Amino acid sequence: MASNILPIPFRRTHAVSLSDALKQYISNKYDQHPDMFKHDLEAIDALRVDAVTSLEAHTSGIRKLATYAAQLVWIGGKFPIDIGVEFTWYPALGFNTQSPESQNNIRFELANILFNLAALYSQLAVALNRTTPDGLKAANNYFCQSAGVLGYLRSEIIPDLRSTPPEDMDIVTLECLEQLMLAQAQECSWSMAIKKAYKDALIAKLAAKVSDFYDQAADFGTRSDIISTEWIHHMTAKHHHFAAAAQYRAAWDCLEKHKYGEEVARLRDSLACANEGLKEGRWINKAVLGDLNQLKMKVSEDLRTAEKDNDIIYLNSIPTKSELKTLDRAGMAIARKPTEISDPLTLLGDRGAFGQPLFAKLVPYSVHVAASIYAERKDRLVNNTIIDELEALTNNMRELLQSFNLPGSLQALEKPLGLPLSLTSHAEEIRQQQGIHRIRRAMHDVETLKANDIAMYQDGVELLRSEASDDEKAKMKHGTERWTRPSSHQAGAKLYQQQAMIGEQYLKPANDNDESVKSKFKECEPFLRILDGTDRDLEEYVPSSRTAVMQPKVEREASNLRNVLNDIHRMESRRRRKAEALRTKAKSDDINPVLLAETARLEREYPMQKIEAAHFEEFFEKRLHRYDDDLIMVSDEQEEQEHLSAQLKEANSAFVAARRGDSSTKEREQALQRLENTYLKYKEIISNLDQGRKFYNELSQIVTQFRDECRAFRYQRRVEADQIETDLSNAISSLNIAQSNHLQEQKQRESLRAQYSAKAPIKDPMTAPVPTRAPVPPPPTPGMWTPELGIKFGGVAPPPTQNTHNPAYPNTRTGQMRAGQWDANQGVRFS
């Protein structure tokens, strides 16, 4: 049945198991067991089933849709939006209502639920009896609530979707639907004013506002790629209709106020508006067209009467349209967001209309994010700002010692025979750790992790390359005019950027560092073998100097230098202990209990407010102040090292000056120094390999996610390509069938044309017939009845008639009846 009101159709979906994805995510990401939330997992699936099956105009659907939407908002604070469920929905408007769209996005699900809620409000309004004031009032309320939901969807949900919105939920389309709902709500108020016989001036203001709403809806509809032309023509016709209705009621008001010239002008404008609306008559339904025709008929009648009265009686001047005052507006339609949509969390709880919030005992996802943020900041502060600075100070001191050939030069002088104690302790440490084997094993482990990371990265790259190749082949096959979807680099721009980032910012620098470590090991390996060998190997490598008695001055300067070196060793040992204590302190800094207490405080002070990681910024700053003493310690260490460096330079200069000209220990000094440098290089290589192992373990998570996203992207693009090719094949098949039918019809027409245009065969002309005289019947025998005599009832039989066509009926050409012949129209008479 045709209606002058447009309801919003529902979006449809497929059944999915949201509970399975939530259960899997809880199991993988949270410390709590999924079985703790068995009831909640069953409830969320049941709520979705109730919501997505509410596709009829019944008030019970409002609660079902709103309850599920509220729970989606609630769990959005505890789970990420890409929870792992592909929500599939079919568009409600446009030309692709049979082509579904899928997104792994909870906000996408929420947007579809709210769209259906707006559609339900509109369909409830249409289903009401709008012939009574109560029905019109309720319809106005439903339309306003529908507009409110659409406005909330447009301003709050779609901008925060974090993905491309569906075609029929872009900003322009939602704006068009919102204005359409407001127009229909205002139209209900206009109808109610007519039924209650309000003043014509008020009815004119109401009608003018209806016209404005329809005009805005038609404008947004024209800019939308989804709103059908049928709807646009409908809204345009209604815009002109109510513009005409507004002027018509304003003319009545002028008549009441004795403004007869203005009455004529407004009736003329009303008629012009009605005619503009009737220009849409080819595309609008019968109900709208009938309303326009009825209005035009009334306006035309009143205009004829008004013009006649003004011309004969009143003789008022008729103002032009530009001289007419613009009609005021009276708006009775406002987009009203229902409470269950604008503030859904207030309806969850012990006394809430929607029941208990699901997964209430689950630690919010934002709290886990906040814990991760704090851990990252803490690690950056402890490792980069404090420990790395301490290690940099230590390396600077070692480089200074190496530049002075220390401690080799001092050891060679103090112990000209045998091995220094420090050297034997270094050698023993390397032997216990199986130094060379340990390095090679660590290198192999790093290479294995590196190879696995590169393999996963290459898998992702190959998936992108394969998808791009398939897209290019399809484009070459179908042509760019038909294959119009975005290219691979456009659709997967984020993945291609990630590919470049992993290659340039992770793998390339890491490979350079690996090569540097290999080069270090190659340089020090011969000397490391000596340290990793026996004491005899060391004694054979380190030459003994000739025994000599140190001069008092040399002995004094050597003692001063030894004291400075001891202070440096004590400083390095103390520094290592501080760094280890700081690592232990950071490791024991578990923020989770305190963070949960802070979360509870925020929930008490701001009930039902969504907890975000940003809420903990001030808390983080206060928490990190516990490392202020360690930051001060770094400055103290730097000052102490500068002081010791100055003492070292002074003591070493005095020592070198005292020994000037003494070369008896030169070879021993060089051997001892090489072994000392090798020990330091060994410690550096071990540290580098440990960092490399940690780096590639962390990189494994990044490249695995990259590969999985590439795989999902390729699958999505393949499904999309299959759908496009199916649509193209169907279109081509339909075109071929149409062309085939057209060719068959053309052949039939040509065949018939050939038959009709063919010349008839020429035959001999027919001989004209020879006229012959008809035989004269013999005269009737007296006393015998013949058909020529007719039926006679008394009287003399008339002579035979001259009508040889049908002798049983009179000759109708003469229009006269012969005497003695029976006329059926006169009945039967007996004389």
Side-chain angles (χ1 to χ4, degrees):
M1 180 179 177
S3 173
N4 59 356
I5 296 293
L6 294 177
I8 301 174
F10 289 110
R11 293 173 66 88
R12 297 175 294 108
T13 184
H14 293 310
V16 296
S17 179
L18 183 56
S19 61
D20 290 345
L22 294 175
K23 183 177 181 180
Q24 185 67 28
Y25 194 88
I26 293 172
S27 177
N28 294 338
K29 301 293 183 179
Y30 291 84
D31 296 334
Q32 296 158 286
H33 197 277
D35 290 344
M36 296 174 56
F37 309 99
K38 181 179 180 181
H39 171 73
D40 295 341
L41 292 169
E42 294 174 353
I44 193 66
D45 277 346
L47 287 175
R48 187 179 196 274
V49 171
D50 290 343
V52 301
T53 55
S54 299
L55 301 180
E56 57 182 10
H58 195 278
T59 54
S60 61
I62 298 176
R63 181 183 179 87
K64 294 176 182 178
L65 289 165
T67 302
Y68 181 52
Q71 294 292 354
L72 286 177
V73 173
W74 169 257
I75 67 176
K78 294 179 175 291
F79 295 95
I81 62 172
D82 52 343
I83 191 62
V85 179
E86 289 290 335
F87 298 103
T88 302
W89 286 86
Y90 289 85
L93 302 170
F95 308 99
N96 298 315
T97 56
Q98 299 303 317
S99 298
E101 180 176 355
S102 300
Q103 289 190 22
N104 176 17
N105 190 334
I106 290 182
R107 289 193 177 95
F108 174 72
E109 173 84 346
L110 177 60
N112 282 278
I113 293 299
L114 293 180
F115 186 94
N116 273 3
L117 181 59
L120 177 60
Y121 278 127
S122 72
Q123 296 195 23
L124 286 171
V126 173
L128 288 171
N129 179 11
R130 299 189 306 280
T131 60
T132 63
D134 291 340
L136 289 169
K137 182 178 180 181
N140 173 281
N141 181 54
Y142 280 139
F143 279 130
C144 289
Q145 288 182 307
S146 178
V149 175
L150 290 168
Y152 179 78
L153 180 62
R154 171 180 52 82
S155 61
E156 301 294 335
I157 303 301
I158 297 300
D160 197 32
L161 196 59
R162 300 185 188 177
S163 63
T164 303
E167 290 183 349
D168 57 346
M169 274 198 267
D170 64 321
I171 300 300
V172 176
T173 303
L174 291 177
E175 190 75 61
C176 171
L177 296 178
E178 182 180 353
Q179 295 299 319
L180 175 61
M181 295 299 104
L182 291 175
Q184 295 179 157
Q186 181 79 9
E187 185 175 349
C188 291
S189 298
W190 171 81
S191 299
M192 186 162 54
I194 292 177
K195 290 186 178 297
K196 292 186 176 182
Y198 288 172
K199 292 184 177 181
D200 293 319
L202 177 58
I203 296 176
K205 294 177 183 179
L206 292 171
K209 190 61 178 177
V210 177
S211 178
D212 290 346
F213 279 132
Y214 275 118
D215 185 34
Q216 293 173 10
D219 180 54
F220 284 112
T222 305
R223 291 155 52 188
S224 170
D225 296 331
I226 298 303
I227 300 299
S228 66
T229 55
E230 180 183 355
W231 278 33
I232 295 174
H233 288 302
H234 173 93
M235 293 181 288
T236 303
K238 297 279 276 190
H239 158 61
H240 293 302
H241 178 185
F242 281 95
Q247 293 291 2
Y248 181 60
R249 287 288 178 168
W252 279 27
D253 183 61
C254 292
L255 176 62
E256 184 179 352
K257 296 177 180 179
H258 309 295
K259 299 178 180 179
Y260 305 109
E262 183 178 347
E263 176 197 6
V264 173
R266 292 198 179 276
L267 286 173
R268 287 176 179 176
D269 190 32
S270 176
L271 183 60
C273 292
N275 287 329
E276 285 295 322
L278 287 172
K279 291 180 180 180
E280 310 290 332
R282 294 174 54 189
W283 302 281
I284 59 179
N285 62 44
K286 295 181 179 179
V288 179
L289 183 61
D291 291 343
L292 271 170
N293 283 321
Q294 185 178 6
L295 176 61
K296 179 183 177 181
M297 183 176 64
K298 290 182 179 179
V299 172
S300 299
E301 293 176 357
D302 288 358
L303 178 59
R304 284 193 297 270
T305 303
E307 287 177 336
K308 182 178 179 181
D309 291 346
N310 188 61
D311 291 342
I312 297 174
I313 303 174
Y314 307 114
L315 303 176
N316 286 358
S317 62
I318 300 174
T320 61
K321 182 176 181 179
S322 59
E323 295 174 341
L324 291 176
K325 179 185 176 182
T326 302
L327 295 178
D328 294 331
R329 267 62 174 166
M332 298 298 292
I334 301 175
R336 289 193 293 271
K337 290 181 289 187
T339 305
E340 56 267 25
I341 299 305
S342 61
D343 196 8
L345 299 184
T346 58
L347 300 177
L348 295 175
D350 294 333
R351 299 180 180 179
F354 295 160
Q356 291 290 343
L358 302 179
F359 307 99
K361 296 182 180 179
L362 186 67
V363 178
Y365 175 74
S366 57
V367 176
H368 290 268
V369 174
S372 300
I373 293 174
Y374 177 77
E376 181 182 354
R377 293 184 183 178
K378 177 187 66 178
D379 291 343
R380 187 165 59 247
L381 174 65
V382 170
N383 294 321
N384 298 351
T385 308
I386 300 177
I387 294 180
D388 285 355
E389 287 294 326
L390 294 177
E391 291 181 352
L393 291 173
T394 302
N395 291 333
N396 292 337
M397 179 58 73
R398 288 174 179 174
E399 290 176 358
L400 182 61
L401 290 173
Q402 290 177 11
S403 66
F404 292 156
N405 203 21
L406 292 173
S409 60
L410 187 60
Q411 290 174 346
L413 184 65
E414 291 176 338
K415 192 173 179 59
L417 300 175
L419 300 174
L421 182 61
S422 62
L423 179 60
T424 56
S425 64
H426 292 340
E428 184 63 26
E429 179 183 349
I430 292 175
R431 292 189 196 110
Q432 289 179 357
Q433 295 179 359
Q434 297 180 344
I436 294 180
H437 179 68
R438 179 184 180 185
I439 290 177
R440 293 190 181 279
R441 186 175 62 249
M443 283 184 171
H444 179 267
D445 293 343
V446 170
E447 286 296 327
T448 302
L449 293 173
K450 176 182 177 181
N452 291 336
D453 290 351
I454 292 177
M456 283 187 285
Y457 171 71
Q458 292 296 339
D459 287 345
V461 173
E462 183 60 30
L463 288 168
L464 291 179
R465 186 182 298 113
S466 174
E467 191 282 324
S469 177
D470 293 343
D471 183 67
E472 192 64 28
K473 290 178 181 177
K475 189 177 296 183
M476 293 177 64
K477 176 181 178 182
H478 297 284
T480 55
E481 292 185 358
R482 293 179 180 176
W483 199 262
T484 57
R485 71 169 181 170
S487 65
S488 300
H489 283 78
Q490 292 175 337
K494 181 180 178 182
L495 291 176
Y496 281 96
Q497 292 174 0
Q498 192 174 0
Q499 172 191 342
M501 182 188 68
I502 294 174
E504 296 296 329
Q505 300 182 16
Y506 290 99
L507 291 177
K508 189 176 183 300
N511 184 70
D512 294 341
N513 291 335
D514 294 342
E515 294 299 324
S516 175
V517 172
K518 291 178 182 179
S519 177
K520 293 177 185 177
F521 177 63
K522 185 177 181 180
E523 292 176 0
C524 70
E525 185 178 7
F527 306 106
L528 190 58
R529 289 186 181 278
I530 297 173
L531 288 173
D532 200 17
T534 62
D535 288 342
R536 183 174 180 179
D537 296 332
L538 286 173
E539 292 173 353
E540 290 178 354
Y541 177 74
V542 180
S544 299
S545 59
R546 62 181 181 270
T547 305
V549 178
M550 286 190 294
Q551 297 295 327
K553 182 178 180 181
V554 174
E555 185 176 0
R556 184 174 62 253
E557 298 301 336
S559 176
N560 291 336
L561 183 58
R562 171 56 64 187
N563 290 334
V564 175
L565 289 177
N566 289 337
D567 290 342
I568 291 174
H569 291 323
R570 281 192 293 270
M571 179 190 70
E572 291 181 352
S573 299
R574 184 179 65 250
R575 190 175 288 169
R576 284 193 296 269
R577 290 194 298 270
K578 287 182 178 179
E580 191 61 32
L582 181 58
R583 290 190 181 96
T584 303
K585 176 183 176 180
K587 187 176 181 180
S588 61
D589 184 11
D590 184 10
I591 197 176
N592 287 326
V594 185
L595 202 58
L596 291 176
E598 180 68 9
T599 302
R601 182 188 70 81
L602 291 173
E603 290 179 343
R604 287 194 304 271
E605 295 182 3
Y606 308 98
M608 293 302 176
Q609 180 181 359
K610 182 180 179 181
I611 303 298
E612 299 287 351
H615 295 159
F616 302 97
E617 286 295 330
E618 184 178 354
F619 174 74
F620 291 162
E621 293 180 2
K622 293 180 180 178
R623 182 79 176 183
L624 290 174
H625 282 319
R626 60 173 52 197
Y627 297 98
D628 289 348
D629 293 340
D630 300 293
L631 290 171
I632 296 174
M633 179 265 294
V634 174
S635 301
D636 295 340
E637 289 289 328
Q638 186 173 2
E639 292 179 2
E640 182 181 2
Q641 179 160 319
E642 291 176 355
H643 177 67
L644 287 176
S645 296
Q647 290 183 348
L648 178 64
K649 292 177 182 178
E650 182 180 356
N652 185 68
S653 297
F655 176 70
V656 171
R659 294 188 66 230
R660 184 173 290 113
D662 183 8
S663 60
S664 60
T665 60
K666 185 175 182 180
E667 293 182 0
R668 183 176 176 83
E669 290 176 12
Q670 293 175 350
L672 291 174
Q673 190 61 42
R674 280 194 292 268
L675 293 177
E676 179 68 20
N677 294 342
T678 299
Y679 171 75
L680 296 177
K681 190 69 69 175
Y682 166 76
K683 302 291 287 185
E684 181 181 349
I685 292 173
I686 291 298
S687 176
N688 291 340
L689 291 174
D690 288 341
Q691 291 176 0
R693 185 186 297 109
K694 180 180 179 182
F695 169 79
Y696 284 115
N697 278 326
E698 293 176 352
L699 182 62
S700 175
Q701 300 177 1
I702 297 175
V703 294
T704 300
Q705 182 180 0
F706 170 70
R707 182 196 60 185
D708 294 342
E709 289 179 356
C710 291
R711 184 176 295 162
F713 172 72
R714 185 191 181 198
Y715 174 77
Q716 179 183 1
R717 293 274 289 179
R718 181 170 290 179
V719 171
E720 182 184 80
D722 291 342
Q723 182 62 41
I724 294 175
E725 288 191 340
T726 301
D727 294 342
L728 289 176
S729 299
N730 293 338
I732 293 173
S733 299
S734 301
L735 181 60
N736 290 337
I737 292 173
Q739 290 178 347
S740 177
N741 293 337
H742 178 70
L743 289 175
Q744 290 180 2
E745 293 176 358
Q746 186 176 2
K747 289 180 180 179
Q748 292 176 359
R749 288 196 298 268
E750 291 177 354
S751 176
L752 292 173
R753 190 179 300 114
Q755 292 178 10
Y756 289 134
S757 61
K759 295 183 178 180
I762 300 175
K763 296 182 180 180
D764 296 335
M766 295 180 64
T767 305
V770 178
T772 57
R773 185 182 299 275
V776 178
T781 304
M784 181 180 294
W785 176 85
T786 61
E788 289 79 4
L789 298 178
I791 301 175
K792 302 185 294 295
F793 297 93
V796 181
T801 176
Q802 300 297 319
N803 188 357
T804 60
H805 176 69
N806 191 348
Y809 293 94
N811 190 345
T812 57
R813 294 182 182 179
T814 60
Q816 296 179 356
M817 301 300 298
R818 296 184 182 273
Q821 186 172 352
W822 174 66
D823 183 6
N825 294 326
Q826 296 180 359
V828 180
R829 294 195 302 259
F830 298 93
S831 55

